[in-house]
Amino acid sequence: MEGSSFDEVWRGVFTVQPEPPQWLVIAAGVAALAVVLARGPWKLARNVVTIAHEGGHAVVALLSGRQLTGIRLHSDTSGVTVSRGKPTGIGMTLTVAAGYVTPSLVGLFGLLLLLNDRITALLWVTILLLATMLLLIRNVYGVVSVVGTGAVVFLVSWFTPAEVQAAFAYGFTWFLLLAGVRPVAELQSQRRSQPSPQSDADQLHRLTGLPGTVWVMLFGLVNLAALALGVWLLLF
């Protein structure tokens, strides 16, 4: 889109792009799986998962009527979303429960756009969501993380040909679907080795009475179901 006018950019966002070949979709999935499984790339890419995780807390907090104070993202890929409101009840429960399932659900949303050949729309929706989230970030690393992620998506959408945009969009969607599963396993591992009353699962235990392990299992089931649906829609 380099050198395009605003009207041309706006039309381009809502233009239907050609469906990419199946080999590209598969290759993008393999590349995303490699990022999730490899220790080095995962450590960097997990920041994207944290952005989605905390964004999920923030969106549900607002929808449930809570007052959102801010979001912090940390260099160890942890994060915290602070909101004000009733400390118990359905609103608080849904807010806490949203984090671990959001990356997978966002991946499914992206998949719906891709199945309708809205590749550019997916990239620009991502940019707009990141820009909105940036207004809520309250620490320097969080700003760097969100701006860096948005800059990568923008550069791909603005300066690369349609084939590269398609590969990136499918890879990004595959990554969210696949990456939603690993943090849930990491959560349970951390709960066994270094128990923390502040983990989402343990907060939900206090809010609902259901054991934290049950919540971990629910997170895992939702994310595995999203992944299975994604695989079926993309490959069959």
Side-chain angles (χ1 to χ4, degrees), residues 13-20 108-121 170 234:
V13 168
F14 293 99
T15 298
V16 175
Q17 286 79 36
E19 184 178 349
L108 279 182
F109 172 76
L111 178 57
L112 294 177
L113 291 176
L114 293 181
L115 291 175
N116 287 281
D117 300 322
R118 303 287 182 174
I119 294 171
T120 304
Y170 275 89
L234 284 168

Side-chain angles (χ1 to χ4, degrees), residues 171-222:
F172 183 68
T173 302
W174 272 118
F175 172 75
L176 288 174
L177 290 171
L178 291 162
V181 177
R182 181 166 176 174
V184 177
E186 292 175 343
L187 170 63
Q188 185 60 19
S189 177
Q190 184 181 43
R191 291 181 70 245
R192 288 198 303 265
S193 60
Q194 295 177 321
S196 170
Q198 299 307 313
S199 76
D200 289 2
D202 291 291
Q203 289 185 61
L204 288 165
H205 168 57
R206 292 194 297 273
L207 286 167
T208 66
L210 286 176
T213 302
V214 172
W215 283 103
V216 174
M217 292 174 62
L218 288 173
F219 297 155
L221 287 173
V222 170

Side-chain angles (χ1 to χ4, degrees), residues 124-168:
W124 279 83
V125 165
T126 302
I127 293 170
L128 290 175
L129 290 174
L130 289 169
T132 302
M133 187 173 180
L134 184 62
L135 301 175
L136 301 170
I137 299 295
R138 297 293 182 264
N139 67 322
V140 173
Y141 184 83
V143 171
V144 172
S145 183
V146 172
V147 170
T149 303
V152 170
V153 179
F154 173 77
L155 291 173
V156 170
S157 68
W158 194 265
F159 293 107
T160 65
E163 296 80 3
V164 176
Q165 292 185 33
F168 181 86

Side-chain angles (χ1 to χ4, degrees), residues 33-49:
L33 180 61
V35 171
V36 172
L37 296 179
R39 182 175 180 180
W42 171 248
K43 186 176 181 180
L44 177 63
R46 200 186 191 287
N47 287 284
V48 176
V49 180

